[in-house]
Every structure is written in C-alpha cells, then in structure tokens.
Amino acid sequence: MGTTAAAWSGPAREGPGTDAEPAVLERELTEAVLAGAARSEVLRALRGATGRDVRLLSAEGVPLATTDGGAGVPASVADGVLADVAGPVVDTLDGLRATALPVRAGTTVAGVLLTVGPGDARVQALAGAAVTALLIDAVRAGDDSAEVSPQHTPADIVAALRSGTVSPSVCAAAAGLRIDLQRPPAGAVLHYSGPRLRAWSTALAWLEHPVQQEARTAWTVVPGEVELARLQNRLRLMTGDESADHVVAASGSHPGSPMGLARSFTEAERLLGLARTQRVPLLTFDRCGVVQVLLPLPRPRLEAYAEARLGPIRQRPELMATLRAWLAERGSRQSVSEQLHLHRNSVGYRVRQIKNLLGTDPLLPAASAELHLALAALDLLASDDERLRGDAEPVSAGR
C-alpha cells in the first residue's frame, strides 16, 4: 500500500453508517498494519465502519486499546470467549452490553475484541474483518498477549479430558491441538505388550497426536475407528515389533459434551481389557455388541447378574466352555465336538448337565439372550481384572 501510519486515510475517516464491506475492510486494515499502522488506528477504523465503540482486551480481559477508554471483562469471561465456549454477548465491568469476538489463530492470541452495543450480524462481520490485522500487530509488537505460553502440554490436555476437568483454558488449549470440543471425539486407549518399551515411548513422542502415556498404556482422542486404526498401525511400524498383537487399541462412545469424555475414556479402558483378554487387536464402542449395555454398570452389578444366571456352573470350566460353544454354534453338536475336541456323546452329556444345573434350555430365545449377556458380563469382569493388574510385571526396555 505504501503508506505510513500517519498518512493512512482508510476507513478510519468514514463516519457511522458507512457501507464498507467486510472483505474490503479486512484488506485495507491488513495492508495498513503491514505499512505500520498501530492497533489503536485499527480500532478507530473499525469504529468508523461499525458506528460502535470498540475495545481490544488481553486474554485476561484487561483493556489493551479502546476507542472510548472503557473497561474490560472478568478474566473468566475472556477465557471463555477465547475458548469459544462463551456466547458472543458479554457484560463489561463498567456495565455495558457488548459483542465479543476471540482474536486468535492457533497459539497466537491478540485477545478479545468487543464492539459495544447490541448484537448485530453486520457489526460482527465487520469486527471479524479486523482479526487478521490485530493478529499481525500483536505478533509484530511482541506483546505478552501475542503468544500463549503452553500452560497445558498435550499430555495435560488428555489427562484433563480423562478426568472431566474441562476448564475454559483447557478448551482453548484443546482447540490449539485441533481437538474440536464442540463435536467431542471419543476417548481412546492403546496398550503395548511387546519387549521394546523404549521404542514404544519414542513412537508415542513422535506421533504428532496428543497423547498421555503411563508405561505401556497411552490415552488419546480420536474422531472415529479409522483414525484409531491408523494410529495403531503407525505405532506398530514405529516400534519395529514383528508381532501385530503387541499393540491393542480401544475407543469409547462419542459424548455429547466435553464433560462426557471422562465416561468415554472409562469405556475405552474397559474395552481395552476386553480386547486383550479376547485377543482382539482393536475394539470400539460401536462394535462391542451387547457389551454396550454392560459398560455403564459397576462391578458388583455385573457380578450379581452373572452369578444369578451362571452360578451353578461358574466353577465348572468344562461346562462353561461347552455353554459358550453351544450358544455360539446354535446347538450344533458336531461343531462343538470339533471346536472342543470332544466326542459327540461327551458334548451331549455336558449339555444335559448344563440344562439340569441351570434349569433351562440354553437355546430357548429368552434363556439364550440372558446367558449371552451373563457371559459378556463375565468377560467384562475378566477384562477389568486384566486392567487392574496393569503393568506390574517387570519389562526390559529393549532397543
């Protein structure tokens, strides 16, 4: 543009009611800042275009520049605006209603832009046209507000989402990591059981994905099964482990709000235990069948349900194995015989024992449904045991 701040004769000289278009205003403001205009001049230009007083606040809600010398907003309000979790209309500390706009891009934050007065779509569009110019000014000036220090590492963010402590600052940091908490992802967990623990830790550090690691287990968030499978495959390749079974992954349901991520992570952890006990490499909430119904239940209720339906044979491993196979093969004596390496007559004898002890025919629809659910409850209990055992065994780090 070839002008200086003193010679700039752009929109700042236009009065209220101007017909400036947002795209034109954005170009003029950006060119002016690149030519040396200060943010105070940007605000005056914005006031001229909108007919409203304008205030630029820091990330803490403190005024950095204003057209009316007015006050800012509480820090919690500014934090919420920057995290995109607060509405656009806020009340200032001097009692005025204003429309708020976060001025941020990634980790670069110029603060919160207020246009004083009632909300208006055109005013918001014109205010948005000033964002690029204000960001350029903030970076150029080297303001303390222009760069957000990493209050939260990626591991901190995942830990906060796991625990359900989702503050506005966590939301802002999550947005910087491209985690969309307006449409929350699913909690996910991966476990490594191979000998190369050092390679596993290195692979997680190079993953370019927010991860919290504790020894062999890592937590993260994923938009869906495809991304989880991609992460799992990459970790397999990066650990250089020949066994495909050494990296097991699971994910929970997609919550309706950021606070629901804590439940999603708990589901993922329980499903991981189930995947490990059943030797399934990847298990998601959408693909876990009737286990979906059981995941919210605490251990005592699972135990009680399983005991009420399987109690007479729970301590008889041969009968439990036969019942599983009998239900899976829908009463095919030949298939169960081949699967369990038993004579057909032995299968028949065991099935008669099961019927007598349980007092029902396992293939009757109602009984079959209850027994399937009871067996799934036992599997989930076993997976919880596996999860609670954790990584107690000593591990050689390997190369």
Side-chain angles (χ1 to χ4, degrees), residues 6-15 44-45 48:
W8 182 31
S9 58
R13 297 195 176 182
E14 299 177 9
R44 285 200 299 272

Side-chain angles (χ1 to χ4, degrees), residues 162-188:
R162 284 180 62 202
S163 66
T165 53
V166 188
S167 66
S169 62
V170 167
C171 289
L177 296 174
R178 297 184 180 179
I179 300 174
D180 184 2
L181 293 181
Q182 300 299 317
R183 293 176 295 177

Side-chain angles (χ1 to χ4, degrees), residues 199-200 202-207 233-241:
W200 163 252
T202 302
L204 290 171
W206 289 352
L207 204 54
N233 186 58
R234 186 172 179 189
L235 288 168
R236 284 171 175 165
L237 294 174
M238 292 175 74
T239 54
D241 203 316

Side-chain angles (χ1 to χ4, degrees), residues 1-10 12-13 32-33 35-38 40-41 44:
M1 183 168 160
T3 65
T4 64
W8 182 31
S9 58
R13 297 195 176 182
V33 168
S40 59
E41 295 177 89
R44 285 200 299 272

Side-chain angles (χ1 to χ4, degrees), residues 189-200:
V189 59
L190 300 105
H191 183 86
Y192 177 67
S193 58
R196 299 179 176 178
L197 190 56
R198 186 179 301 164
W200 163 252

Side-chain angles (χ1 to χ4, degrees), residues 39-40 43 55-67 70-72 109-112 134 137-138 143-146:
R39 62 182 161 209
S40 59
L43 296 189
R55 305 175 185 179
L56 178 65
L57 313 180
S58 71
E60 293 74 33
V62 177
L64 299 174
T66 73
T67 60
V109 175
V112 176
L134 291 172
D137 173 77
D143 290 344
D144 292 338
S145 61

Side-chain angles (χ1 to χ4, degrees), residues 104-286:
R104 66 188 307 276
T107 59
T108 300
V109 175
V112 176
L113 183 62
L114 299 184
T115 50
V116 179
D120 178 273
R122 179 168 176 76
V123 169
Q124 279 190 282
L126 290 170
V131 167
T132 301
L134 291 172
L135 284 168
I136 293 171
D137 173 77
V139 173
R140 182 185 61 192
D143 290 344
D144 292 338
S145 61
E147 187 173 328
V148 176
S149 61
Q151 300 176 32
H152 306 285
T153 66
D156 292 336
I157 299 304
V158 175
L161 297 178
R162 284 180 62 202
S163 66
T165 53
V166 188
S167 66
S169 62
V170 167
C171 289
L177 296 174
R178 297 184 180 179
I179 300 174
D180 184 2
L181 293 181
Q182 300 299 317
R183 293 176 295 177
V189 59
L190 300 105
H191 183 86
Y192 177 67
S193 58
R196 299 179 176 178
L197 190 56
R198 186 179 301 164
W200 163 252
S201 297
T202 302
L204 290 171
W206 289 352
L207 204 54
E208 296 180 359
H209 201 84
V211 170
Q212 180 193 11
Q213 181 196 3
E214 291 180 10
R216 295 181 172 276
T217 304
W219 292 264
T220 187
V221 290
V222 293
E225 182 177 345
V226 173
E227 177 66 10
L228 182 59
R230 186 189 72 81
L231 292 175
Q232 180 187 40
N233 186 58
R234 186 172 179 189
L235 288 168
R236 284 171 175 165
L237 294 174
M238 292 175 74
T239 54
D241 203 316
E242 296 179 359
S243 175
D245 297 332
H246 282 171
V247 180
V248 180
S251 61
S253 60
H254 281 78
S257 69
M259 299 301 295
L261 268 165
R263 184 190 71 250
S264 182
F265 273 110
T266 299
E267 293 168 349
E269 290 172 358
R270 299 190 83 179
L271 289 175
L272 179 76
L274 191 61
R276 293 181 65 193
T277 56
Q278 296 187 347
R279 298 187 179 278
V280 178
L282 189 148
L283 187 60
T284 67
F285 182 85
D286 292 336

